[in-house]
Amino acid sequence: YFLQVEGTLNLPCLPVNSFTSQGSSFRVDSSTWICQRPLVQLLTLFFHFYANKFAWGSEVVSIRTGRRMNAADPEYAKLAGRQVHRLHVEDPFISRNLNCVLSPENEEFLKSRLLNAYVKIQQNEVPKAFLQASPQQWLRRPT
């Protein structure tokens, strides 16, 4: 979602109807999107987006639409719990708000961690969570 809606990144939306429980009919080679930004810039932009730009409680994370829209928009008329001031994440395949798996307390924890990570990056520090994992594993390509 962030890559779809943030500035000049413009990750395209994939057609949801191309994906079924039997697999995908989408041809990956038909997509030409290339991200020119270095990883460190993407991380900074990601944390900045969710810490400062994202409208927590009203905006819907939707990779189906790939547009910044409010939960009150008719596009999300079937989205459960859209009137509640919470994080809204649309399941692109079924009418479901994926916030149902996140308690309000854990949502606040997530929000505070995203903000904390952004602040640390702005101070030229490494977010604590990054130090608890192996960067070599982040950068290793899947085999």
Side-chain angles (χ1 to χ4, degrees):
Y1 176 72
F2 153 75
L3 292 172
Q4 291 173 319
V5 301
E6 179 56 27
T8 61
L9 299 175
N10 299 322
L11 178 70
C13 293
L14 300 179
V16 174
N17 59 358
S18 295
F19 300 89
T20 68
S21 59
Q22 285 75 43
S24 169
S25 62
F26 181 76
R27 290 182 35 143
V28 175
D29 61 343
S30 67
S31 178
T32 59
W33 182 79
I34 297 173
C35 183
Q36 301 293 335
R37 301 282 185 115
L39 180 58
V40 69
Q41 270 188 1
L42 283 177
L43 279 172
T44 303
L45 287 170
F46 173 85
F47 288 114
H48 175 67
F49 177 79
Y50 283 105
N52 298 305
K53 291 184 170 184
F54 183 71
W56 287 84
S58 59
E59 187 170 341
V60 178
V61 173
S62 173
I63 61 169
R64 177 182 61 85
T65 64
R67 295 189 319 259
R68 295 190 72 185
M69 297 168 65
N70 191 288
D73 191 284
E75 182 73 34
Y76 303 115
K78 295 180 181 179
L79 187 66
R82 70 189 188 127
Q83 69 285 354
V84 179
H85 191 76
R86 297 255 343 254
L87 173 65
H88 301 290
V89 181
E90 178 197 46
D91 183 318
F93 300 105
I94 58 175
S95 181
R96 179 177 168 189
N97 193 335
L98 296 175
N99 73 359
C100 66
V101 299
L102 191 62
S103 71
E105 296 80 21
N106 284 339
E107 180 180 331
E108 283 304 313
F109 180 74
L110 172 64
K111 188 176 173 181
S112 70
R113 289 301 180 138
L114 290 167
L115 177 59
N116 180 267
Y118 176 68
V119 168
K120 292 290 185 190
I121 290 169
Q122 288 304 108
Q123 296 169 343
N124 289 321
E125 296 178 28
V126 178
K128 184 179 177 183
F130 286 19
L131 299 173
Q132 297 171 342
S134 170
Q136 292 78 20
Q137 290 180 351
W138 298 348
L139 301 174
R140 186 175 300 145
R141 291 184 179 264
T143 54

